[in-house]
């Protein structure tokens, strides 16, 4: 609670008005209908699967060290996998936002968060696979403890990678629209 109050005070004192990188119209344009393969749900699956595939192997070792009482010693590899996860999330989010802007759909703000955070859904799905196929856990108490904590971890993945996706897409959109020459 105190950090929330301090963050609100800091945000209120340091807030600056939003300045668009180019001239905007007051009347929003009508967004054309997108084909089936450009729907947000399918693009979220793509945006979540590709970064997840970059950390899939390391996730097994992390789960084994946390839930299986194994010792994890490859912290340098873990750091490289994390950096790779951030880079892939940035590039996938930027690519999907570019495809969205190319069909004149300007509602990219929340989708960039969802595209980046979709990896958390795959992490939670992998936790089910790990629980039923790889671990020796059983019982209601262990299952509720495990899935509760894994939900929190997957939610943190969604928040972290959604933030990374949003800020990378924001920088990309500002860069391409600041290069526009409108007369």
């Amino acid at each position: 609670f105190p950090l929330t109050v301090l963050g609100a005070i800091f945000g209120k004192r340091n807030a600056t008005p939003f300045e668009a990188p180019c001239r905007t119209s007051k009347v929003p344009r009508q967004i054309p209908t997108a084909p089936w393969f450009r729907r947000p749900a399918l693009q979220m699956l793509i945006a979540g699967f590709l970064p997840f595939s970059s950390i899939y192997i390391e996730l097994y070792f992390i789960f084994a060290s946390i839930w299986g009482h194994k010792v994890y010693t490859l912290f340098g590899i873990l750091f490289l996998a994390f950096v790779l996860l951030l880079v892939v999330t940035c590039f996938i989010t930027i690519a999907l936002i570019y495809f969205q802007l190319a069909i004149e759909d300007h509602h990219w703000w929340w989708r960039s968060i969802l595209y980046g955070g979709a990896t958390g859904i795959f992490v939670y799905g992998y936790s089910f696979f790990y629980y039923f196929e790889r671990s020796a856990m059983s019982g209601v108490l262990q299952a509720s403890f495990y899935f509760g904590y894994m939900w929190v971890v997957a939610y943190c993945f969604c928040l972290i990678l959604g933030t990374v996706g949003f800020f990378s897409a924001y920088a990309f959109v500002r860069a391409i629209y600041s290069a526009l020459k409108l007369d």
Side-chain angles (χ1 to χ4, degrees):
F1 179 73
L3 288 178
T4 305
V5 173
L6 289 175
I9 292 170
F10 180 76
K12 185 171 175 69
R13 288 187 181 165
N14 296 331
T16 59
F18 176 73
E19 295 179 18
C22 65
R23 191 178 46 172
T24 58
S25 173
K26 298 286 183 197
V27 180
R29 294 181 65 175
Q30 185 175 3
I31 300 171
T33 57
W36 66 271
F37 56 89
R38 290 208 175 160
R39 304 286 170 150
L42 182 63
Q43 287 189 340
M44 276 181 58
L45 284 174
I46 294 168
F49 176 73
L50 290 173
F52 175 75
S53 64
S54 70
I55 61 164
Y56 171 73
I57 301 299
E58 287 302 312
L59 212 54
Y60 167 75
F61 291 117
I62 292 171
F63 277 30
S65 68
I66 294 173
W67 301 108
H69 306 294
K70 306 261 196 256
V71 177
Y72 189 79
T73 58
L74 302 171
F75 295 107
I77 302 293
L78 180 64
F79 178 72
L80 288 176
F82 181 69
V83 170
L84 182 64
L85 173 68
L86 295 180
V87 169
V88 170
T89 301
C90 286
F91 288 152
I92 291 299
T93 304
I94 287 171
L96 290 175
I97 293 300
Y98 176 76
F99 294 148
Q100 181 180 342
L101 292 174
I103 61 168
E104 299 177 0
D105 185 358
H106 58 274
H107 293 141
W108 63 270
W109 294 76
W110 282 105
R111 285 196 195 167
S112 65
I113 295 171
L114 293 175
Y115 293 159
T119 307
I121 298 168
F122 283 89
V123 169
Y124 196 61
Y126 181 76
S127 71
F128 279 91
F129 171 75
Y130 185 83
Y131 181 82
F132 290 115
E133 297 295 326
R134 303 277 187 220
S135 72
M137 289 187 266
S138 62
V140 176
L141 184 62
Q142 277 187 331
S144 62
F145 185 77
Y146 174 78
F147 289 117
Y149 270 106
M150 289 314 301
W151 185 85
V152 170
V153 167
Y155 184 67
C156 287
F157 264 86
C158 283
L159 290 179
I160 292 168
L161 297 177
T163 303
V164 167
F166 172 76
F167 280 118
S168 63
Y170 181 72
F172 171 73
V173 169
R174 285 195 67 88
I176 63 171
Y177 282 113
S178 64
L180 285 178
K181 303 293 185 215
L182 297 175
D183 293 328

